Amino acid sequence: QVQLVESGGGLVQPGGSLRLSCAASGSIFSINAMGWYRQAPGKERELVAAINSGGSTNYADSVKGRFTISRDNAKNTVYLQMNSLKPEDTAVYYCNAALRRTPWEVEYHYWGQGTLVTVSS
């Protein structure tokens, strides 16, 4: 069984910062890519940022220069540092991990339960 547990969401004023964390636990053999997605009310879920096992990253255009994704492979944890937050960043943020539970298993994507980020004055 694999669990992804997110933390760090909350209410912040425009221009403020938050740091999200997501720790993967359970029976894990290897983790390839990890990423953050978000879903605002009435909108589809979208990719915010992703990082592969080698450290290569990609970002949505809307967050480039403001958000930074990083990971600690020893802790199976991915982070999202969010700076200069805007009201349009308000959404539920979901962690995603592409991982194998055993050496002979294909890669599956697992999701966290989501953490709410609200940017408002």
Side-chain angles (χ1 to χ4, degrees):
Q1 188 174 0
V2 173
Q3 279 191 317
L4 272 61
V5 179
E6 300 128 333
S7 60
L11 173 64
V12 64
Q13 292 187 340
S17 298
L18 280 176
R19 188 190 194 211
L20 305 182
S21 299
C22 171
S25 63
S27 178
I28 298 172
F29 170 70
S30 66
I31 302 178
N32 187 5
M34 301 185 81
W36 291 94
Y37 290 71
R38 68 186 180 187
Q39 187 166 19
K43 295 189 177 181
E44 293 187 352
R45 190 173 298 189
E46 63 175 357
L47 174 68
V48 176
I51 183 169
N52 67 16
S53 57
S56 296
T57 60
N58 67 285
Y59 296 90
D61 287 343
S62 59
V63 307
K64 282 181 181 177
R66 301 188 297 122
F67 291 10
T68 302
I69 190 170
S70 61
R71 65 190 282 176
D72 184 334
N73 291 329
K75 296 181 179 180
N76 289 339
T77 299
V78 62
Y79 306 96
L80 186 68
Q81 178 66 43
M82 305 185 292
N83 299 328
S84 303
L85 283 160
K86 305 175 181 180
E88 51 264 42
D89 294 318
T90 295
V92 177
Y93 284 70
Y94 297 91
C95 172
N96 177 275
L99 61 88
R100 293 182 179 182
R101 294 183 300 173
T102 64
W104 51 86
E105 189 178 79
V106 298
E107 190 173 274
Y108 285 102
H109 285 260
Y110 291 83
W111 292 91
Q113 80 285 355
T115 185
L116 178 63
V117 172
T118 303
V119 184
S120 175
S121 55

